[in-house]
Amino acid sequence: MVIHFHCNRKEEKKTHIDNVIMFIYLFTIFVLILVLLYKLADQNFTRTLAFNSDEHTPVYTSDESSSSSSDLVCVFGWVGSTRRQLRRLLEFYAENRIPTISWINPMHNYIFDIDPNHIEQLAHLLLDKSQHVKRIFLHLHSNNGTLTFGHLFVFIQKHDKYRVLHDKIHGIIFDSAPFVVHKKTSRWLLGTAIGNSRAAVSILLNRAQYFHFFWTPLIIFYLLIRFIFKRYFSSDNLLAEEKIRQFLTIMPIHVKQLFIYSQGDRLIPPKIIGRKKCLY
């Protein structure tokens, strides 16, 4: 009896050790799969949504008829937009003899923070091309355009060399107004990741499709990891929407604002904008 009981104890101990080894083995495989998926998402996200010189360099557009204009319009594109998509708007200003400075902030920088060098380059171009301009107007597309102007406005305020631009700002056009949550509302990081994944998937697929059975969950997983790290392990823990809210509160109050939005907007429905305009 004693020998039999002792043998059972040894077998139970061996079974327990085998179970622990199996758990460690499966857990290691699971972690490796997650790491590989993260690397896959990061590679495609960076390759497709990061800076490229063709689309993300500030461009000044003018001709002989607009060179003497007293006005200048800065056009800042939405997330994932291209110069081809901004062409009709830029042509509209050109037809009305108004020079423009256009820039598209890449989505990678929208989500993980704008490069200060890009803002300085933009401010330098604006200062150089507005020497004989009396009025500057901002045409901002959605969240990305508003975030770009927010960083630019803060940069202008901090550097004496560029403060002359402040008094020349006479109007802001919110073309598809930015969506921000109420300051008393706390959005889950998962909700923010899901929201940003829609535009990211559309850019990855290069078409107006905001869900994909493979890319959507992968991008949500990737963004969630990045947001958790930014929120809890970064000195700058504010996400893009939170920065936009801050920028909206410091924009010059004497400047007129015009809101343009479409009933067919699938990313930011007009009913949301109607509820949020009071926040601006």
Side-chain angles (χ1 to χ4, degrees), residues 166-205:
H166 178 274
D167 296 331
K168 293 185 177 183
I169 299 175
H170 273 64
I172 301 175
I173 301 172
F174 291 99
D175 196 338
S176 182
F179 169 66
V180 292
V181 295
H182 193 278
K183 62 182 178 180
K184 295 181 180 180
T185 304
S186 177
R187 289 190 71 186
W188 290 356
L189 294 181
L190 177 59
T192 305
I194 293 173
N196 282 284
S197 71
R198 301 186 67 210
V201 168
S202 177
I203 298 170
L204 282 171
L205 299 177

Side-chain angles (χ1 to χ4, degrees), residues 83-211:
R83 295 213 173 275
R84 180 179 58 82
Q85 292 169 319
L86 295 180
R87 184 182 60 192
R88 291 180 62 183
L89 179 61
L90 298 177
E91 289 176 350
F92 166 80
Y93 286 119
E95 290 170 358
N96 287 274
R97 300 180 179 181
I98 301 175
T100 58
I101 290 178
S102 57
W103 188 58
I104 303 167
N105 179 46
M107 184 171 186
H108 188 279
N109 291 16
Y110 167 79
I111 293 178
F112 304 128
D113 214 0
I114 288 180
D115 186 341
N117 293 326
H118 293 169
I119 297 300
E120 183 175 2
Q121 182 184 8
L122 182 62
H124 180 76
L125 179 62
L126 179 57
L127 181 65
D128 178 56
K129 299 301 181 181
S130 64
Q131 293 181 14
H132 305 292
V133 168
K134 295 181 180 179
R135 301 185 303 178
I136 296 175
F137 296 89
L138 287 304
H139 194 134
L140 314 178
H141 288 92
S142 198
N143 282 28
N144 196 36
T146 306
L147 183 68
T148 300
F149 175 61
H151 279 282
L152 178 63
F153 187 74
V154 170
F155 182 87
I156 290 172
Q157 295 294 91
K158 287 183 177 180
H159 298 82
D160 294 337
K161 175 182 176 181
Y162 297 96
R163 285 189 181 177
V164 64
L165 297 172
H166 178 274
D167 296 331
K168 293 185 177 183
I169 299 175
H170 273 64
I172 301 175
I173 301 172
F174 291 99
D175 196 338
S176 182
F179 169 66
V180 292
V181 295
H182 193 278
K183 62 182 178 180
K184 295 181 180 180
T185 304
S186 177
R187 289 190 71 186
W188 290 356
L189 294 181
L190 177 59
T192 305
I194 293 173
N196 282 284
S197 71
R198 301 186 67 210
V201 168
S202 177
I203 298 170
L204 282 171
L205 299 177
N206 195 29
R207 58 178 179 267
Q209 178 180 337
Y210 302 106
F211 177 84

Side-chain angles (χ1 to χ4, degrees), residues 6 30 70 198 269:
H6 181 68
F30 176 72
S70 61
R198 301 186 67 210

